[in-house]
Amino acid sequence: MKRLFPLLALIAAASFSACNTTTSSKEPALNDSETNSATLASTEGLELIQFHSEHRCMTCNKIEALTIATAESLEGITFRLVNVDDAANAEMARQFEAAGTALFVYNPETGEKKELTDFAFMTAHDDEKYIAKLREKIVRFD
């Protein structure tokens, strides 16, 4: 049993890092007590972009489903799913520094983007919390 635990830990770490291979998260932590005072109109023209590789884990698929549900609940925001293994997407993947699963909110008018990958992986196990927090992050995006 002692030999099995390190092997399982290594497999779990490799699985997470295989999906989550962007450079660094520049996302500041939000205080749970912060309230959403912005209007939904501020989401107009924003994009949620999820990058993925050919081989996707259950969590990556869950992030996609929850992100689509969130995008559909907001006016004026679109969702894009981008395969980083497709050569046609190489330039976009380079621009976002995405090499595997990554989630961004993006303003195509200004070029401003915010990476939400760590948030997505840490919250995907709780549907209600994921959708509520992602909505908050999108509405507060400026």
Side-chain angles (χ1 to χ4, degrees):
M1 186 69 169
K2 288 182 181 182
R3 290 182 191 165
L4 186 59
F5 181 74
L7 179 60
L8 291 174
L10 179 63
I11 291 170
S15 174
F16 179 74
S17 66
C19 292
N20 189 9
T21 55
T22 57
T23 52
S24 64
S25 174
K26 299 167 184 82
E27 161 105 25
L30 287 178
N31 183 336
D32 283 342
S33 65
E34 290 180 314
T35 58
N36 181 4
S37 61
T39 64
L40 293 179
S42 65
T43 65
E44 190 66 38
L46 295 180
E47 296 180 4
L48 281 171
I49 303 172
Q50 181 183 358
F51 293 91
H52 70 89
S53 58
E54 281 295 321
H55 303 288
R56 302 173 71 195
C57 67
M58 286 180 16
T59 305
C60 297
N61 291 322
K62 179 78 178 244
I63 289 168
E64 177 185 348
L66 293 173
T67 303
I68 289 171
T70 305
E72 290 174 348
S73 73
L74 295 169
E75 281 191 40
I77 193 161
T78 58
F79 174 78
R80 290 175 40 181
L81 187 63
V82 180
N83 182 344
V84 297
D85 292 334
D86 184 342
N89 299 323
E91 178 56 30
M92 186 176 192
R94 187 200 58 74
Q95 175 189 355
F96 282 82
E97 300 178 2
T101 297
L103 180 65
F104 290 87
V105 61
Y106 174 64
N107 183 335
E109 275 190 35
T110 64
E112 184 180 358
K113 60 188 176 228
K114 182 183 282 190
E115 184 175 356
L116 303 175
T117 309
D118 289 343
F119 154 79
F121 273 97
M122 297 301 292
T123 316
H125 66 282
D126 184 336
D127 296 12
E128 289 180 27
K129 182 177 179 181
Y130 184 99
I131 291 170
K133 289 290 187 181
L134 183 55
R135 284 176 59 96
E136 180 180 316
K137 290 174 183 297
I138 294 165
V139 172
R140 295 177 141 266
F141 180 73
D142 40 31

